[in-house]
Amino acid sequence: EAQVTQNPRYLITVTGKKLTVTCSQNMNHEYMSWYRQDPGLGLRQIYYSMNVEVTDKGDVPEGYKVSRKEKRNFPLILESPSPNQTSLYFCASSPWGNTDTQYFGPGTRLTVL
Amino acid sequence: RKEVEQDPGPFNVPEGATVAFNCTYSNSASQSFFWYRQDCRKEPKLLMSVYSSGNEDGRFTAQLNRASQYISLLIRDSKLSDSATYLCVVNGNSGYALNFGKGTSLLVTP
């Protein structure tokens, strides 16, 4: 089954404790992206990647890192999480960039205390 | 001005009603337009792409007005299962970014 998977689905952590949210897709898509969704603010893009080893900042990259060492994986790293990073995070992939359908993962609900 | 703007609603309509949502975008160079549907706490899913000539998929019709920079979504014969948030999405200024509207909430009641 074609899908985007994220892990963990739910995470409660404390300020400053490094964490990684994994994202994997099995559709051989070139483009992958991370979003956060907050009430009243909608979906905002954090980082995106056009291909292996090619990443770029979205609208709200501060406090986040990403890597794209393999085509299928695009982990989101929070080196020192803070409470303002409490949010619902979605990973997405598409065959090619922003002109194609985005396929979203199920979401990761992160709480930083 | 925000890149993509939508009326947040909520739109409360009875079953069988016709409802229309509009969305405006600021980047005149945008080339790709979409409507996504998002159920509560779930991931967004593509409802339909929006083409210049307008397009229809069953009870759903999407239209694009480039001159006025707005996109519309019309839902005919609303069903209870249409209750969701509808996100307007436009490709953005920089590179390959996508801009999402904040969504319009629809509640279809019996």
Side-chain angles (χ1 to χ4, degrees), chain A residues 31 35 37 40-41 43 45 48 50 59 90 98-102 104-106 109, chain B residues 32 34 36 38 41-44 46 87 91-92 94-100 102:
Chain A
Y31 180 95
Y35 299 88
Q37 188 172 35
L41 295 176
L43 270 159
Q45 192 171 47
Y48 60 93
M50 292 304 303
D59 294 322
F90 289 105
N98 60 354
T99 58
D100 272 300
T101 303
Q102 303 280 308
F104 283 83
R109 186 163 291 280
Chain B
S32 300
F34 311 91
Y36 278 72
Q38 185 175 24
R41 297 175 181 272
K42 297 284 185 70
E43 71 272 25
L46 180 71
L87 305 173
N91 71 328
S94 57
Y96 298 90
L98 274 175
N99 292 308
F100 285 76
K102 294 179 184 178

Side-chain angles (χ1 to χ4, degrees), chain B residues 49-68:
Chain B
S49 300
V50 186
Y51 304 119
S52 296
S53 54
N55 47 303
E56 189 173 308
D57 183 2
R59 297 181 293 107
F60 299 84
T61 300
Q63 291 192 313
L64 168 64
N65 184 320
R66 284 189 186 273
S68 300

Side-chain angles (χ1 to χ4, degrees), chain A residues 31 64 76 103:
Chain A
Y31 180 95
Y64 304 95
L76 179 70
Y103 296 85

Side-chain angles (χ1 to χ4, degrees), chain A residues 2-75:
Chain A
Q3 60 183 353
V4 179
T5 56
Q6 293 179 228
N7 280 293
R9 294 288 313 280
Y10 303 91
L11 179 62
I12 300 174
T13 189
V14 296
T15 298
K17 186 175 180 182
K18 180 179 178 179
L19 66 93
T20 299
V21 184
T22 64
C23 173
S24 184
Q25 50 94 3
N26 62 0
M27 296 170 278
N28 201 36
H29 285 169
E30 308 286 337
Y31 180 95
M32 296 185 75
S33 182
W34 275 104
Y35 299 88
R36 61 178 288 174
Q37 188 172 35
D38 302 288
L41 295 176
L43 270 159
R44 294 178 293 168
Q45 192 171 47
I46 303 170
Y47 269 95
Y48 60 93
S49 170
M50 292 304 303
N51 212 326
V52 175
E53 302 293 0
V54 180
T55 63
D56 209 346
K57 295 177 181 178
D59 294 322
V60 288
E62 294 77 23
Y64 304 95
K65 285 174 58 176
V66 293
S67 69
R68 188 93 182 271
K69 293 187 171 59
E70 304 164 285
K71 196 172 187 179
R72 62 182 293 129
N73 296 324
F74 191 45

